[in-house]
Amino acid sequence: MTGKTQTSNVTNKNDPKSINSRVFIGNLNTAIVKKVDIEAIFSKYGKIVGCSVHKGYAFVQYMSERHARAAVAGENARVIAGQPLDSCIKFIVQHLLMDT
């Protein structure tokens, strides 16, 4: 996929609204899948204000928690570049880790 990237790379704000509207995407083949691909896939769930791609994973920052939850529900376990995605809202992961 090709296209012009227009979203910010910032996905690490720590305010509660930002954390609740951030999606973690794991098990990502970043040798093949690029930022523009992630944006194209996840933009159908709402306005993306930030997207950062790292080795093996990515974060997508939405304007609202509702959009983030829709993205997780719609894309978790989707196969991209031969690998099933592991999508979750970062806030939920943090709370699970803190409870153990």
Side-chain angles (χ1 to χ4, degrees):
M1 293 180 198
T2 60
K4 185 176 181 183
T5 302
Q6 296 180 2
T7 59
S8 168
N9 290 324
V10 177
T11 57
N12 63 351
K13 292 182 179 178
N14 288 324
D15 64 278
K17 182 179 178 188
S18 292
I19 291 172
N20 289 343
S21 58
R22 182 176 308 136
V23 176
F24 169 81
I25 305 155
N27 199 35
L28 189 61
N29 186 345
T30 51
I32 297 172
V33 182
K34 304 300 179 200
K35 182 179 177 182
V36 293
D37 302 321
I38 296 298
E39 290 171 345
I41 292 164
F42 283 85
S43 64
K44 65 184 170 189
Y45 298 101
K47 179 164 176 56
I48 296 174
V49 295
C51 180
S52 60
V53 178
H54 310 272
K55 186 174 182 180
Y57 65 97
F59 288 102
V60 173
Q61 184 72 54
Y62 285 98
M63 286 290 293
S64 77
E65 181 178 350
R66 179 173 52 92
H67 296 144
R69 291 187 181 279
V72 169
E75 299 300 330
N76 193 42
R78 175 182 174 157
V79 176
I80 298 178
Q83 294 180 218
L85 296 182
D86 178 20
S87 301
C88 64
I89 296 174
K90 186 174 185 286
F91 177 76
I92 294 170
V93 173
Q94 286 178 333
H95 274 31
L96 290 174
L97 292 174
M98 289 174 19
D99 289 342
T100 58

